[in-house]
């Protein structure tokens, strides 16, 4: 397993948000974390990279326990994180945004350069010197992913990559994720959009009110319309 | 005509040094969100160290090498300060960070006197720039021309640094969203340290480069920090371009202000700042800040009116205090009166800070105005004491009404910086307008009339007024006005949406606090028999802050306890040592480090720990303060 989380409990102040969350991502796998609004998907991701201050549990990345390390150290080990809110540096150009994400080459992971990323996301290549603040939502979403890939991660946490994108851009995004997978990057993505998840994922977890309610392959999930209706459908 | 052009050039030369210091402050704030009060102290240290190095090293290389070495040496001191002190308090309330760096400033002021002595030092002239160039029939020092060129050159270098180097790009990114930068694998710790070092380098360089123009002395720090605060407020915190433009503006206003209002040129700067703030509250090149971080410990526990027991305890305390003259001697009674006066002063600031959420760093302005009000009425108009006491505080009220109007347009650190700048402006007027205020010599022999003369009577008077003022402030706290004010503190938007005119309420609170401080100041003038510009000084403003923080911002009685403890301690310290600033500064720094969340925040943490869902998670939280915002 590339990433193994177990017994994860997280709190915001007095509020207990995650309850004994356990999940894993194998090398080269694309795994979806599904759930409705407020299920705790983003909190899970933020907890894994150490952005939630109050959390307990085990987080093993490539066999090392990282739960007690600061965010930057976890990320430097090759665990990339793409936040939900995008958080582009709006004053910086596309190239400068990429520069912030740059980390040295890693032996066990694909190596990304701006030029390689511009072939993955051709739109970005056409606006290298444009400030991040003057890009569309879809372009910003691509830029956040590209920025994280500049760190040459072996695993990426993608928080709702399809959120708020037009169908055409969603398709581009799905292709980009599949290309990342081909390059050997393992991916854990959160989604509410089951169609999108189905296009790209190997396995899925379903989360509800801070607990994992289902775990299985995409095919197993297809076979359980009851689970889908209970935890996903609106 | 020629004269004006030359005046303009002199202004530009001053602007360069101002720009260096202000850009350093801006960069540090942008990334670390710390308003580095000690920036002026680093500027001053740069000048002192450069003085010594340029004296020791000979030749042209010696001079220029000495300047650069001095800036580097001070930058190293800055890095140590960041690693040993600031790293501990990044997650503390803004107020504590300002206080900690202020404590440092106090320490440095005494340290430079210890090392270099109290006298002004005249530095060496810069080799190659000793003479003057004749322009338009006037002599312009060639060093001024050098400085004029230097400013834009530094601006250009900084631009390249921030756009062409990885470090610069990281700094710009962190200025916008430092947590995201960490989430991309950048170690914030070293970024912060390097940024702080760079900012301090710029400040020290600014100071070092001033030595051929200006004498080096131990009050340089406050003079420059106030100008720099004005510059960044006008230019916009975090913007280098803004710092440059505003530095030129302020320096030119100073240069020409001297011609218009020779004695009180600073008024012109104030007027321009006021206009800028009304038109663009975040400065010419600044961006609106996301809602300022709340000062924790302010809104945790709703206040209760006193319980029956507390009322009794309070009454007993007052009676005991009133009996003091039976046992205490004259000196103790004078100290007692002074403490009572400072209880008034601290309670007035406490009202503004805790109920209004507005931390003024220049509250002494209104205390001092009250004192000067009495002095004018007693000395110039010759009015009876009771009338002076009643009308003197009105000067504090007027001051608070004018300055408060502008200050409440801002919040958080901007509010703090602006109130500080206002106080310093009042101080400058008291200091510079000699025909009216007596300048440094103050106004002397303001003695109480017989009914209040003598240590015991004056003590009783002060005590009675203190009890009355504190009681009145409490009544206001629990009045509908007090509740509305707390509403504006807790959520400006919400209170406005339910029809509360928040600005008006905050302004009123500012005026109430200023008037109360003025009452304290009026008494103080009679206690000391004189008024001096020091009664408005930054030192006094910070004393008030320390008293409030020491006692606890949260508790209504905190300011009273804080004032008694702090004032007694500092009177004792001053009587025991010549280096009271060094010790006081050290104490402030220690308090901030020992109670990084504020004293009340600390108590909250202890309470939270005892009833947290799991003590382990609380420990985890404590060990990982980053990203918790
Ligand atoms: N900073 C916060 N402070 C307090 N509670 C929070 C905070 N962030 C999220 N929550 C709460 O935690 C729960 C889980 O939120 P989270 O953002 O993880 O859900 P999510 O599954 O990502 O939802 P969405 O699909 O809307 O992004 C929600 O009930 C939310 O209200
Ligand atoms: Mg989410």
């Amino acid at each position: 397993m590339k990433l193994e989380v177990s017994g994860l409990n997280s709190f915001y102040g007095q509020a207990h948000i995650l309850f004994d969350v356990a999940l894993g991502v194998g090398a080269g796998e694309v795994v979806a974390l599904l759930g409705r609004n407020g299920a705790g998907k983003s909190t899970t991701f933020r907890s894994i990279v150490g952005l939630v201050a109050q959390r307990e549990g085990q987080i093993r990345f490539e066999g090392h326990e990282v739960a007690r390390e600061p965010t930057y150290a976890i990320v430097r080990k090759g665990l990339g994180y793409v936040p939900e809110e995008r958080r582009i540096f709006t004053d910086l150009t596309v190239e400068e945004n990429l520069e912030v994400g740059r980390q040295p080459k890693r032996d066990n992971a694909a190596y990304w350069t701006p030029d390689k990323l511009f072939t993955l996301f051709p739109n970005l290549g056409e606006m290298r010197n444009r400030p991040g603040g003057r890009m569309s939502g879809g372009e910003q979403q691509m830029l956040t992913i590209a920025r994280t890939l500049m760190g040459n991660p072996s695993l990426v946490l993608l928080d709702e990559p399809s959120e708020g994108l037009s169908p055409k851009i969603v398709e581009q995004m799905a292709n980009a994720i599949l290309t990342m997978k081909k390059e050997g990057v393992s991916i854990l993505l959160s989604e509410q959009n089951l169609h999108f998840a189905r296009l790209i994922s190997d396995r899925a977890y379903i989360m509800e009110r801070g607990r994992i309610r289902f775990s299985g392959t995409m095919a197993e999930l297809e076979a359980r319309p009851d689970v889908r209706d209970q935890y996903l459908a609106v | 005509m020629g004269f004006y052009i030359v005046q303009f050039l002199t202004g530009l030369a001053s602007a360069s040094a101002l720009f260096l210091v202000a850009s350093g402050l801006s960069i540090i704030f942008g990334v670390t969100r710390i308003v580095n009060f000690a920036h002026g102290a680093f500027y001053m240290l740069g000048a002192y160290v450069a003085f010594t190095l340029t004296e020791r090293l000979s030749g042209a290389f010696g001079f220029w090498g000495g300047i650069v070495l001095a800036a580097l040496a001070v930058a190293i001191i800055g890095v140590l300060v960041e690693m040993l002190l600031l790293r501990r308090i990044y997650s503390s309330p803004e107020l504590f960070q300002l206080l900690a760096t202020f404590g440092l400033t106090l320490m440095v002021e005494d340290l430079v006197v210890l090392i270099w002595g109290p006298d002004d030092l005249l530095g060496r002239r810069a080799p190659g720039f000793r003479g003057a160039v004749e322009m338009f029939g006037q002599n312009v020092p060639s060093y001024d021309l050098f400085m004029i060129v230097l400013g834009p050159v530094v601006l250009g270098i900084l631009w390249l640094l921030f756009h062409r180097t990885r470090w610069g790009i990281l700094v710009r990114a962190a200025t916008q969203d430092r947590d995201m930068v960490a989430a991309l694998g950048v170690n914030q710790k070293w970024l912060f340290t390097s940024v702080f070092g760079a900012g301090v380098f710029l400040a020290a360089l600014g100071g070092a480069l001033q030595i051929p123009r200006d004498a080096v002395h131990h009050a340089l720090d406050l003079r420059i920090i106030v100008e720099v605060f004005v510059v960044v407020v006008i230019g916009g915190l975090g913007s280098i371009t803004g710092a440059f433009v505003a530095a030129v503006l302020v320096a030119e206003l100073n240069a020409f202000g001297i011609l218009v209002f020779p004695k009180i040129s600073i008024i012109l700067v104030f007027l321009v700042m006021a206009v800028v703030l009304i038109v663009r509250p975040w400065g010419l090149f600044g961006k609106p800040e996301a809602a300022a971080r709340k000062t924790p410990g302010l809104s945790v526990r709703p206040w209760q009116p006193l319980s029956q027991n507390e009322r009794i305890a309070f009454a007993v305390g007052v009676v005991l205090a009133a009996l003091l003259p039976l046992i205490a001697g004259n000196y103790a009674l004078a100290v007692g009166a002074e403490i009572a006066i400072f209880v008034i002063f601290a309670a007035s600031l406490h009202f503004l800070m805790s109920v209004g959420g507005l931390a003024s760093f220049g509250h002494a302005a209104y205390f001092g105005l009250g004192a000067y009000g009495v002095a004018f009425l007693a000395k110039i108009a010759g009015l009876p004491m009771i009338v002076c006491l009643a009308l003197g505080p009105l000067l504090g009220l007027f001051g608070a009404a004018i300055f408060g109007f502008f200050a409440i347009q801002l919040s958080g650190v901007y509010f703090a910086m602006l109130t500080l700048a206002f106080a310093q402006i009042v101080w400058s007027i008291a200091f510079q307008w000699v025909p009216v205020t007596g300048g440094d010599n103050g106004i002397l022999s303001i003695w109480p009339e017989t009914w209040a003369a003598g240590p015991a009577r004056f003590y009783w008077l002060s005590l009675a007024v203190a009890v009355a003022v504190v009681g009145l402030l409490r009544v206001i706290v629990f009045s509908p006005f007090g509740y509305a004010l707390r509403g504006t503190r807790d959520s400006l938007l919400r209170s406005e949406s339910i029809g509360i005119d928040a600005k008006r309420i905050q302004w009123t609170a500012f005026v109430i606090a200023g008037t109360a401080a003025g009452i304290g100041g009026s008494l103080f003038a009679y206690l000391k028999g004189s008024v001096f510009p020091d009664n408005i000084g930054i030192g006094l403003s910070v004393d008030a802050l320390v008293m409030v923080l020491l006692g606890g911002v949260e508790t209504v009685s905190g300011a009273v306890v804080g004032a008694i403890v702090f004032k007694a301690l500092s009177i004792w310290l001053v009587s025991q040592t010549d280096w009271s600033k060094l010790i006081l500064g050290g104490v402030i720094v220690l308090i901030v480090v020992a109670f990084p969340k504020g004293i009340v925040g600390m108590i909250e943490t202890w309470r939270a720990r005892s009833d947290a869902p799991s003590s382990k998670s609380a420990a985890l939280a404590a060990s990982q303060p980053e990203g918790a915002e």
Side-chain angles (χ1 to χ4, degrees):
Chain A
M1 283 270 146
K2 199 86 198 156
L3 174 73
E4 255 184 300
V5 175
S6 61
L8 180 64
N9 283 277
S10 295
F11 308 82
Y12 288 125
Q14 298 284 340
H16 195 163
I17 305 290
L18 295 186
F19 301 83
D20 290 323
V21 167
L23 51 80
V25 181
E29 250 189 330
V30 177
V31 176
L33 181 62
L34 305 171
R36 292 197 186 108
N37 282 120
K41 308 180 294 291
S42 301
T43 305
T44 305
F45 284 13
R46 291 167 51 78
S47 300
I48 292 173
V49 287
L51 286 171
V52 175
Q54 287 170 268
R55 61 149 158 53
E56 45 190 58
Q58 284 78 52
I59 298 162
R60 294 178 76 78
F61 178 62
E62 294 180 337
H64 300 284
E65 180 62 48
V66 296
R68 296 206 156 256
E69 305 209 10
T71 301
Y72 83 90
I74 299 175
V75 171
R76 276 198 189 171
K77 288 195 157 64
L79 201 162
Y81 167 60
V82 179
E84 187 174 22
E85 323 87 350
R86 300 190 179 134
R87 291 170 75 171
I88 285 297
F89 302 113
T90 50
D91 294 341
L92 273 57
T93 64
V94 167
E95 284 188 333
E96 287 172 337
N97 267 283
L98 295 181
E99 173 63 27
V100 177
R102 185 167 63 84
Q103 292 289 334
K105 196 169 184 253
R106 224 180 293 280
D107 288 339
N108 65 346
Y111 178 59
W112 301 88
T113 59
D115 284 332
K116 192 169 157 193
L117 287 164
F118 292 147
T119 49
L120 185 63
F121 299 110
N123 302 20
L124 297 182
E126 289 158 22
M127 49 183 78
R128 296 167 186 233
N129 292 313
R130 192 184 294 183
R134 289 200 277 118
M135 298 168 68
S136 74
E139 289 157 358
Q140 289 193 351
Q141 183 67 302
M142 294 176 188
L143 180 55
T144 41
I145 296 176
R147 186 177 63 179
T148 297
L149 288 177
M150 282 296 286
N152 308 314
S154 59
L155 180 139
V156 178
L157 308 179
L158 278 179
D159 202 350
E160 301 214 32
S162 75
E163 192 188 14
L165 302 185
S166 70
K168 196 176 141 237
I169 307 276
V170 168
E171 199 185 306
Q172 280 184 31
M173 191 63 76
N175 286 329
I177 291 173
L178 289 175
T179 312
M180 285 159 63
K181 182 184 180 186
K182 234 179 273 157
E183 292 277 343
V185 182
S186 317
I187 295 168
L188 176 63
L189 59 95
S190 84
E191 264 308 325
Q192 298 189 50
N193 179 342
L194 185 58
H195 294 291
F196 181 78
R198 219 171 358 213
L199 285 178
I200 52 180
S201 317
D202 304 315
R203 286 195 298 121
Y205 292 94
I206 295 184
M207 184 166 228
E208 191 231 17
R209 281 194 246 158
R211 290 182 171 82
I212 300 283
R213 302 292 188 179
F214 170 89
S215 152
T217 63
M218 277 333 258
E220 285 164 353
L221 179 59
E222 298 295 334
R224 294 284 301 276
D226 58 313
V227 169
R228 229 166 51 202
D229 292 346
Q230 189 177 353
Y231 298 124
L232 294 179
V234 193
Chain B
M1 189 59 211
F3 173 74
Y4 291 104
I5 294 178
V6 169
Q7 196 69 12
F8 180 75
L9 292 177
T10 311
L12 279 186
S14 313
S16 289
L18 204 51
F19 163 64
L20 285 181
V21 187
S23 61
L25 188 83
S26 244
I27 299 169
I28 291 175
F29 175 80
V31 175
T32 66
R33 299 283 133 179
I34 282 193
V35 174
N36 179 27
F37 202 116
H39 220 61
F42 289 124
Y43 167 91
M44 179 169 74
L45 267 183
Y48 271 108
V49 176
F51 171 83
T52 300
L53 288 179
T54 52
E55 292 290 309
R56 296 276 160 82
L57 307 170
S58 58
F61 174 79
F63 180 86
W64 298 109
I67 299 274
V68 175
L69 274 181
L72 281 174
V74 176
I76 290 173
I77 298 176
V79 164
L80 291 177
V81 164
E82 197 275 345
M83 291 171 62
L84 298 176
L85 172 62
L86 299 183
R87 274 189 189 180
R88 295 170 197 277
I89 58 171
Y90 278 124
S91 48
S92 306
E94 289 159 345
L95 198 61
F96 276 66
Q97 300 166 348
L98 265 170
L99 262 186
T101 50
F102 182 81
L104 275 180
T105 306
L106 282 180
M107 294 171 75
V108 170
E109 275 182 13
D110 263 2
L111 281 175
V112 295
V113 176
L114 262 171
I115 300 174
W116 283 279
D119 299 326
D120 286 15
L121 304 174
L122 285 174
R124 240 173 92 188
R125 294 272 172 140
F129 296 92
R130 290 209 170 88
V133 181
E134 193 175 315
M135 295 172 95
F136 311 99
Q138 310 260 340
N139 279 333
V140 181
S142 53
Y143 190 75
D144 276 13
L145 297 177
F146 165 78
M147 289 298 286
I148 292 172
V149 175
L150 188 76
V153 168
V154 170
L155 179 64
I157 292 175
L158 287 177
W159 191 89
L160 286 176
L161 195 62
F162 285 120
H163 289 84
R164 293 286 177 269
T165 68
R166 175 171 169 83
W167 181 81
I169 291 172
L170 290 181
V171 168
R172 280 164 59 218
T175 301
Q176 197 186 336
D177 187 347
R178 53 184 180 170
D179 290 336
M180 191 61 227
V181 172
L184 289 167
V186 176
N187 186 347
Q188 291 196 29
K189 259 192 193 164
W190 292 107
L191 191 62
F192 281 26
T193 306
S194 60
V195 163
F196 197 81
V200 169
F201 177 84
L202 287 169
L205 187 64
L209 284 167
Q210 280 302 83
I211 60 170
R213 298 185 83 211
D214 240 342
V216 183
H217 58 86
H218 56 95
L220 276 182
D221 55 344
L222 290 189
R223 204 184 70 197
I224 192 86
I225 197 71
V226 168
E227 281 193 9
V228 164
F229 278 7
V230 171
V231 165
V232 295
V233 166
I234 292 180
L237 256 180
S239 163
I240 303 284
T241 321
F244 186 79
V245 172
V248 170
L249 189 67
V250 168
E252 290 303 343
L253 284 171
N254 277 331
F256 286 97
I258 300 254
L259 306 177
V260 189
F261 305 107
K263 292 288 174 221
I264 41 177
S265 51
I266 194 134
I267 287 201
L268 207 59
V269 175
F270 164 66
L271 288 177
V272 170
M273 181 166 73
V275 172
V276 169
L277 284 177
I278 292 173
V279 183
R280 287 186 64 95
W282 310 108
L284 295 174
F285 291 81
K287 293 199 183 119
E289 281 290 311
R293 216 170 351 139
K294 269 242 203 72
T295 308
L298 284 189
S299 54
V300 240
R301 193 156 37 102
W303 288 346
Q304 307 287 327
L306 287 184
S307 71
Q308 194 63 35
N309 286 346
E310 284 165 331
R311 265 169 217 272
I312 294 170
F314 183 70
V316 170
V318 170
V319 170
L320 284 181
L323 293 177
L324 188 67
L326 298 182
I327 50 162
N330 286 352
Y331 176 72
L333 287 178
V335 169
E338 188 162 345
I339 289 177
I341 290 167
F342 275 85
V343 164
I344 301 175
F345 184 35
S348 70
L349 177 63
H350 181 265
F351 171 77
L352 194 61
M353 276 173 69
S354 60
V355 193
L358 301 165
S360 167
F361 265 64
H363 205 52
Y366 316 104
F367 184 85
L369 281 173
Y372 272 95
V374 159
F376 294 150
L377 291 169
K379 296 298 287 188
I380 300 171
L383 294 174
M385 178 177 174
I386 191 80
V387 180
C388 294
L389 274 183
L391 298 184
L394 289 183
L395 198 58
L397 185 152
F398 288 136
I402 297 169
F403 294 137
F405 178 80
F406 296 108
I408 51 120
Q409 310 296 329
L410 306 181
S411 59
V413 290
Y414 280 91
F415 179 86
M417 287 198 298
L418 196 59
T419 46
L420 179 92
F422 285 149
Q424 198 59 8
I425 285 164
V426 178
W427 179 86
S428 305
I429 294 173
F431 190 76
Q432 291 179 0
W433 204 10
V434 180
V436 176
T437 63
D440 207 11
N441 296 323
I443 302 175
L444 304 179
S445 53
I446 308 156
W447 299 115
E449 288 164 13
T450 21
W451 62 270
R457 285 186 202 166
F458 197 81
Y459 170 76
W460 277 321
L461 174 68
S462 308
L463 183 66
V465 177
V467 171
V469 170
V470 171
L472 209 62
L473 285 174
R474 276 191 67 95
V475 169
I476 298 175
V477 168
F478 294 108
S479 71
F481 173 82
Y483 285 99
L485 180 60
R486 276 151 69 179
T488 67
R489 173 198 72 192
D490 295 338
S491 170
L492 203 58
L493 281 181
R494 177 150 31 92
S495 65
E496 288 196 326
S497 70
I498 57 171
I500 293 178
D501 184 350
K503 292 278 172 232
R504 202 192 174 85
I505 290 204
Q506 290 181 331
W507 189 26
T508 313
F510 199 97
V511 173
I512 292 174
T515 312
I519 294 173
S522 308
L523 282 170
F524 194 69
Y526 278 112
L527 173 74
K528 295 290 173 187
S530 53
V531 293
F532 294 104
D534 266 2
N535 301 147
I536 308 174
I538 293 180
L540 200 62
S541 293
V542 173
D543 282 358
L545 282 168
V546 176
M547 289 185 248
V548 170
L549 292 174
L550 201 66
V553 181
E554 173 75 0
T555 51
V556 183
S557 52
V560 176
V561 178
I564 295 171
V565 172
F566 177 81
K567 202 59 208 173
L569 183 76
S570 73
I571 290 175
W572 180 76
L573 258 183
V574 169
S575 71
Q576 296 294 312
T577 163
D578 286 341
W579 310 108
S580 55
K581 279 197 233 168
L582 185 60
I583 296 174
L584 200 62
V587 170
I588 293 177
V589 169
L590 280 181
I591 289 180
V592 171
V593 171
F595 302 102
K597 292 178 180 168
I599 294 168
V600 181
M602 209 64 195
I603 297 168
E604 282 296 307
T605 315
W606 285 331
R607 265 210 248 138
R609 263 197 204 154
S610 56
D611 50 45
S614 135
S615 57
K616 225 158 109 202
S617 69
L620 231 175
S623 70
Q624 297 201 334
E626 280 148 331
E629 298 193 4

